[in-house]
Amino acid sequence: MNSRLRALIRGEFVRLNRYNLFAASFVVSLFYVLMASFIDDAMVLGVMPFIFLLDSTMMTSLLVGATLFYEKKEHTVNSIMVTPASSDEYVTAKLVTSIATSLFTVVFVSLALYALKGVTYKYAHVIFAAVAVTSLHTMIGVRIAYSAKNFTSMLIGFMLYVTVFMFPSVLAMTGVIGPKLADFLVILPLETSANLMRAGFGPGVEPWKIVFGYLYITALTLLLYFFAVKPRFAEYMMREMGV
Amino acid sequence: MFKVDSLEYSYPGNAKKAVDKLSFEVKDGEIYGLLGPSGAGKSTTQKILIKLIKDYKGAITYKDKPLRAYDNSFYEDIGVSFEMPISFSKLTAMENLDFFRRLYKRTVDVEPLMKRVGLWDDRDRKAGEYSKGMKIRLNFVRALINGPKVLFLDEPTNGIDPLNARIMKDMILEFKQAGGTVFLASHIMSDVDQLCDRVGFIINGRIHEEDTPRNLKLKYGKKVVTVEYRENGLLKSSEFSMDALKGEDFAKMVREKQIETIHSGETTLEEIFIKVTGVALHEQQA
Ligand SMILES: Nc1ncnc2c1ncn2[C@@H]1O[C@H](COP(=O)(O)OP(=O)(O)O)[C@@H](O)[C@H]1O
Ligand SMILES: [Mg+2]
């Protein structure tokens, strides 16, 4: 890792801390633990995948969006872009920071649940899933923040994403879409993300869905980066350049 | 250092060109000033030169190589101070500087700089609690943090008090004496007058006049001397051409009248600026 990237990542952490975003994320983790502790031991393994899914998708997108939003508001992104740091390094730093934050939640919540209830699960699966899902949703968060005028419109953007991509999964769960057709739902990023998370909590997810899931999420992350995040970075900078 | 030839740029969704057939050169080791009213295109020109805006038309070279051919290592040699104060508001001044310092290969000690601009005692305060003037001074220190060879300063003294403006101007001159090159955009005459080796008057994205401040004053100034004197308790004034100073009339006046002021008629940059601007606007309307 080059020293600039290290410096950018370090900066991200310092700012997450100072802008109280890390604290916010920690409070959310405490809330997850609290929620899980009220749930029956038998049920908790069924709920955990959704808690981790929520964290790696929504919390990731919102945290990344919030940092971009602050940098936009304070015009610091312009300052960073007139240093030797490149936009690739800038986005990579966001990605690494998101992954670290998600993993922190996974580790913290898992430890707490083990201490409180003695539940264990396939940690390696959960960690891999968290890394993949968080990577994808970092890109989604960046992309939504590009076009958001303020924090509220960023939230709305994310809600829209969730609603549109969850809707078919809900139809499948309620039986409106038959099981044959439901297999095709793996092309929905949220459905596949959920499959990867569920795989860490017992059988029930077909192996092909897991293999497909990792390949698909990796491909989507790269596609988003190269076609939606990277090319529009300059345009995003332009629009915010009140300097 | 920088050669700019027929530069053209308009912002997306804005038909009017922000810079239009703009040509000038910033020579190695000089302070070049772009002087012009607000909206003239100074900041846009700076943003193009520092590679923040890339889709411009025209040719720009830096050290005889096209600007577009440079990668991000270009910025190792460049220091930028933007028009508006920029800092992470919830980080202290020192944390702000530290973040940026780590992004460069070469860095300088910030303590003497922070002391010089009078921010050392407030170094551990959050940048968001700084006054506008303090933030601008912090901007300036950040621009110097990598020991740049070229300094870009957009309205560097705008919003700071005269004493701190003086200190900053001294630092800019010292930067030049140490071999640095400066591009300065400003609408403040005195900055340009005191600092710049050459100045370009920019109006509506185009340079209408360019020379050293001294030559401009000579060119536009009237070659006359105005003498104010008191006669019977009344203030009066007479004008003499420069050639007439050796003559008897002037000598007689100096001998006999109670003189209060003598001014040679070189115009201020301000007057020249208003003249040039007026002509330019008139030409565009015609
Ligand atoms: N981000 C922007 N989007 C659209 N138009 C802009 C933007 N920034 C500046 N302009 C326009 O470009 C012109 C030049 O602006 P600018 O370079 O900021 O002038 P100056 O720095 O001399 O005051 C102005 O007409 C201004 O309205
Ligand atoms: Mg400006």
Side-chain angles (χ1 to χ4, degrees):
Chain A
M1 199 193 291
N2 75 37
S3 65
R4 270 196 311 275
L5 185 54
R6 240 189 350 256
L8 286 171
I9 294 169
R10 190 179 173 281
E12 291 288 338
F13 276 111
V14 170
R15 289 188 318 264
L16 274 185
N17 192 16
R18 285 308 173 80
Y19 284 73
N20 290 326
L21 295 172
F22 207 67
S25 149
F26 186 70
V27 169
V28 172
S29 298
L30 281 178
F31 180 72
Y32 297 150
V33 172
L34 192 72
M35 227 160 60
S37 68
F38 282 120
I39 296 171
D40 261 17
D41 284 17
M43 293 268 292
V44 89
L45 286 181
V47 174
M48 287 320 291
F50 292 98
I51 288 188
F52 288 138
L53 185 67
L54 195 68
D55 194 72
S56 295
T57 56
M58 187 172 86
M59 279 309 285
T60 295
S61 296
L62 292 185
L63 269 185
V64 166
T67 66
L68 258 88
F69 180 67
Y70 276 122
E71 281 155 27
K72 201 145 109 165
K73 199 173 109 192
E74 301 183 346
H75 301 290
T76 42
V77 63
N78 294 288
S79 288
I80 297 173
M81 285 305 122
V82 296
T83 71
S86 66
S87 54
D88 286 339
E89 287 164 344
Y90 174 82
V91 176
T92 308
K94 300 260 177 235
L95 178 65
V96 172
T97 312
S98 295
I99 292 175
T101 313
S102 283
L103 290 183
F104 174 82
T105 306
V106 168
V107 171
F108 175 78
V109 173
S110 298
L111 281 177
L113 282 189
Y114 181 72
L116 289 175
K117 293 178 167 268
V119 288
T120 59
Y121 29 85
K122 290 184 257 173
Y123 296 120
H125 271 271
V126 179
I127 285 172
F128 281 125
V131 170
V133 174
T134 299
S135 303
L136 175 62
H137 287 83
T138 302
M139 298 307 155
I140 291 174
V142 172
R143 182 58 195 82
I144 291 175
Y146 276 1
S147 18
K149 277 182 210 65
N150 49 43
F151 199 79
T152 315
S153 72
M154 206 168 68
L155 259 171
I156 293 172
F158 188 78
M159 296 301 179
L160 214 65
Y161 158 76
V162 173
T163 316
V164 169
F165 285 99
M166 283 273 270
F167 190 61
S169 305
V170 173
L171 290 184
M173 261 190 271
T174 53
V176 177
I177 295 180
K180 269 255 150 47
L181 216 53
D183 273 351
F184 287 103
L185 293 183
V186 293
I187 61 159
L188 302 175
L190 282 174
E191 172 78 15
T192 284
S193 297
N195 286 338
L196 295 184
M197 280 295 179
R198 279 211 306 269
F201 295 83
V205 183
E206 295 104 308
W208 74 266
K209 282 192 179 170
I210 300 172
V211 175
F212 170 84
Y214 279 108
L215 293 175
Y216 185 60
I217 296 238
T218 309
L220 267 188
T221 306
L222 292 174
L223 281 175
L224 265 176
Y225 177 65
F226 284 108
F227 293 102
V229 169
K230 192 177 159 73
R232 299 193 61 172
F233 190 77
E235 182 195 323
Y236 156 73
M237 287 267 311
M238 265 324 302
R239 224 164 350 97
E240 296 315 320
M241 209 151 44
V243 290
Chain B
M1 269 260 137
F2 281 94
K3 277 204 189 83
V4 176
D5 187 29
S6 316
L7 186 64
E8 271 187 50
Y9 180 76
S10 42
Y11 286 92
N14 197 339
K16 185 175 163 285
K17 290 196 179 91
V19 293
D20 187 12
K21 300 191 191 80
L22 185 68
S23 303
F24 64 95
E25 184 181 349
V26 182
K27 294 185 181 136
D28 203 350
E30 79 170 346
I31 303 183
Y32 183 88
L34 268 192
L35 182 64
S38 81
K42 306 180 294 291
S43 301
T44 305
T45 307
Q46 168 163 324
K47 283 185 263 182
I48 293 172
L49 289 179
I50 58 176
K51 287 163 70 73
L52 277 183
I53 294 176
K54 297 183 176 109
D55 50 343
Y56 55 84
K57 289 204 194 87
I60 303 176
T61 58
Y62 170 60
K63 290 183 175 167
D64 299 320
K65 218 171 92 178
L67 188 64
R68 293 185 200 277
Y70 285 88
D71 65 8
N72 278 307
S73 59
F74 168 77
Y75 295 114
E76 298 279 0
D77 287 349
I78 303 285
V80 180
S81 173
F82 289 102
E83 187 170 7
M84 60 157 56
I86 292 176
S87 34
F88 296 107
S89 62
K90 300 200 180 173
L91 265 51
T92 68
M94 285 306 261
E95 286 168 338
N96 266 284
L97 293 174
D98 187 57
F99 170 73
F100 287 102
R101 207 172 51 81
R102 286 169 190 272
L103 299 173
Y104 296 96
K105 290 203 182 85
R106 175 187 64 232
T107 56
V108 298
D109 183 10
V110 296
E111 185 177 336
L113 292 172
M114 287 292 275
K115 281 188 170 151
R116 190 84 186 274
V117 301
L119 291 178
W120 183 247
D121 291 341
D122 293 306
R123 66 187 179 279
D124 293 326
R125 274 176 65 193
K126 284 186 182 154
E129 295 168 2
Y130 270 18
S131 71
K132 170 143 194 259
M134 292 165 89
K135 283 181 190 160
I136 298 228
R137 284 182 271 155
L138 182 61
N139 257 10
F140 183 66
V141 171
R142 204 202 44 235
L144 292 169
I145 208 165
N146 55 327
K149 296 193 171 70
V150 188
L151 202 49
F152 285 89
L153 302 171
D154 195 351
E155 310 279 3
T157 63
N158 201 11
I160 65 176
D161 61 277
L163 186 64
N164 278 305
R166 185 70 260 170
I167 292 169
M168 191 184 283
K169 283 187 255 189
D170 286 343
M171 290 171 80
I172 296 170
L173 288 170
E174 285 160 28
F175 176 80
K176 176 192 133 175
Q177 270 142 27
T181 304
V182 182
F183 172 91
L184 187 144
S186 183
H187 70 275
I188 298 171
M189 312 292 157
S190 59
D191 286 2
V192 175
D193 203 0
Q194 290 160 20
L195 291 172
C196 295
D197 297 301
R198 289 187 310 127
V199 50
F201 285 154
I202 180 170
I203 299 134
N204 285 330
R206 209 178 289 182
I207 288 180
H208 284 262
E209 184 72 80
E210 183 188 67
D211 211 328
T212 65
R214 183 183 153 78
N215 282 349
L216 286 172
K217 284 184 211 166
L218 289 177
K219 179 177 168 189
Y220 283 87
K222 284 189 286 184
K223 291 199 169 45
V224 294
V225 169
T226 309
V227 182
E228 286 184 327
Y229 59 95
R230 212 163 271 280
E231 198 174 55
N232 304 329
L234 293 171
L235 188 64
K236 296 191 169 173
S237 80
S238 299
E239 247 184 37
F240 295 88
S241 76
M242 288 286 180
D243 303 329
L245 293 187
K246 292 193 178 70
E248 189 49 34
D249 286 354
F250 183 73
K252 193 167 165 231
M253 171 159 293
V254 174
R255 255 195 330 269
E256 293 173 3
K257 304 283 192 237
Q258 186 195 343
I259 293 173
E260 294 202 334
T261 67
I262 299 182
H263 284 292
S264 67
E266 82 233 16
T267 26
T268 60
L269 270 189
E270 187 157 2
E271 287 171 71
I272 304 170
F273 181 73
I274 289 165
K275 255 187 218 168
V276 175
T277 312
V279 171
L281 293 177
H282 185 76
E283 275 170 1
Q284 270 158 7
Q285 275 156 12

